[in-house]
Amino acid sequence: MADKNLIYHQKIEITSRRTTRDKLMAYLRFQAQQANADQFTIPFDRQALADYLGVERSAMSAELGKLQRDGVLTTNRNQFCLL
């Protein structure tokens, strides 16, 4: 029960952010923290991640492209590396 509560609290904290970029970065930082590494794999494909964050997949993909161009991260499917 406590684990479920922590998962819901984390989702609320992530999805309460205003912008797609903020939601995405909050989620990715949390995943990096969980993996205790800058390189990690997430358990979602792009559509499932967009659904989890409550954003449009196309907007999220565009934001991921901007983050890559800005040198913030690299990605290959569901593998990410925060730079």
Side-chain angles (χ1 to χ4, degrees):
M1 188 82 149
D3 289 339
K4 204 175 210 181
N5 192 21
L6 286 173
I7 291 169
Y8 286 132
H9 181 269
Q10 187 63 39
K11 183 173 181 177
I12 289 169
E13 187 176 318
I14 290 169
T15 58
S16 66
R17 309 290 173 114
R18 286 188 65 90
T19 66
T20 299
R21 183 181 190 117
D22 289 343
K23 290 178 184 182
L24 191 54
M25 287 306 299
Y27 176 76
L28 294 175
R29 284 187 189 121
F30 175 73
Q31 290 298 313
Q33 182 181 21
Q34 291 293 97
N36 201 26
D38 290 336
Q39 281 190 311
F40 55 92
T41 301
I42 63 169
F44 297 123
D45 62 11
R46 295 292 166 96
Q47 184 61 55
L49 179 58
D51 292 343
Y52 178 84
L53 297 175
V55 299
E56 293 291 324
R57 187 194 55 77
S58 59
M60 184 192 70
S61 293
E63 199 59 52
L64 282 170
K66 289 177 188 175
L67 288 167
Q68 285 187 56
R69 282 191 300 278
D70 293 346
V72 175
L73 60 82
T74 59
T75 182
N76 182 20
R77 297 186 184 229
N78 64 341
Q79 297 174 344
F80 291 84
C81 180
L82 296 179
L83 304 175

